[in-house]
């Protein structure tokens, strides 16, 4: 339990760093562009890769920064490209996704299996259950009517998203852009 609380306190301390804010701003811009390139399939299914920057932020800076970043970005993406009505509970589900990514990836070794588990957990809890419930409430469609198509879409996207996220995170780690082998943010060295 102490490690769990420490993870949140360490992550909240990251908020005071100019480096954290700068990286979040750059990854936020990438996420907004990726969000604009989404593929809409009806009113309840959207394929996008904008969760990759969200996961990278949570990996680097933890659940507090990951949750705030995901929530703020959800609002910014809605402002830049509105799709449907704005529904605050969906933003809360997005915040939960950032927190979950942070809890499962922050200060932990980056392995493909850990990424698969984190993506599966977020897709099940947030995308399939949380967002489907929100869409049901928002559009007045039955939860069980929306569930099969959304579950199938997430099941198909799960390995694709996981492998893409892992490859991007490993590439960032390999070129030294802020991710160490333990998944923590690197501090720049003074030369």
């Amino acid at each position: 339990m102490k490690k769990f609380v420490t993870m949140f306190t360490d992550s909240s301390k990251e908020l005071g760093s100019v480096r954290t804010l700068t990286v979040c701003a750059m990854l936020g811009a990438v996420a907004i562009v990726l969000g604009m390139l989404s593929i809409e399939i009806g009113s309840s299914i959207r394929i996008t890769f904008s969760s990759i920057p969200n996961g990278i932020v949570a990996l680097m800076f933890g659940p507090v920064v990951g949750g705030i970043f995901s929530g703020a970005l959800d609002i910014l993406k809605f402002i830049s490209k509105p799709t449907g009505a704005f529904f605050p509970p969906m933003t809360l589900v997005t915040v939960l996704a950032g927190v979950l990514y942070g809890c499962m990836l922050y200060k932990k070794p980056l392995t493909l299996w850990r990424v698969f588990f984190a993506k599966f957990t977020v897709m099940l809890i947030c995308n399939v259950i949380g967002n489907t419930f929100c869409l049901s409430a928002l559009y007045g469609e039955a939860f069980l009517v929306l569930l099969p198509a959304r579950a199938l879409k997430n099941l198909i996207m799960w390995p694709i998203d996981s492998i893409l996220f892992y490859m991007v995170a490993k590439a960032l780690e390999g070129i030294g852009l802020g991710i160490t082998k333990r998944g923590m943010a690197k501090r720049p060295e003074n030369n």
Side-chain angles (χ1 to χ4, degrees), residues 29-84:
V30 170
I32 289 173
V33 169
L34 288 174
M36 288 185 172
L37 300 174
S38 64
I39 301 166
E40 303 286 330
I41 304 172
S43 63
S44 62
I45 296 179
R46 181 173 57 210
I47 297 173
T48 181
F49 296 103
S50 63
S51 68
I52 293 172
N54 293 9
I56 296 292
V57 166
L59 166 70
M60 291 176 71
F61 306 117
V64 173
V65 177
I68 292 169
F69 178 81
S70 295
L73 221 47
D74 185 63
I75 294 167
L76 287 173
K77 283 190 282 188
F78 177 79
I79 291 169
S80 64
K81 183 184 176 189
T83 54

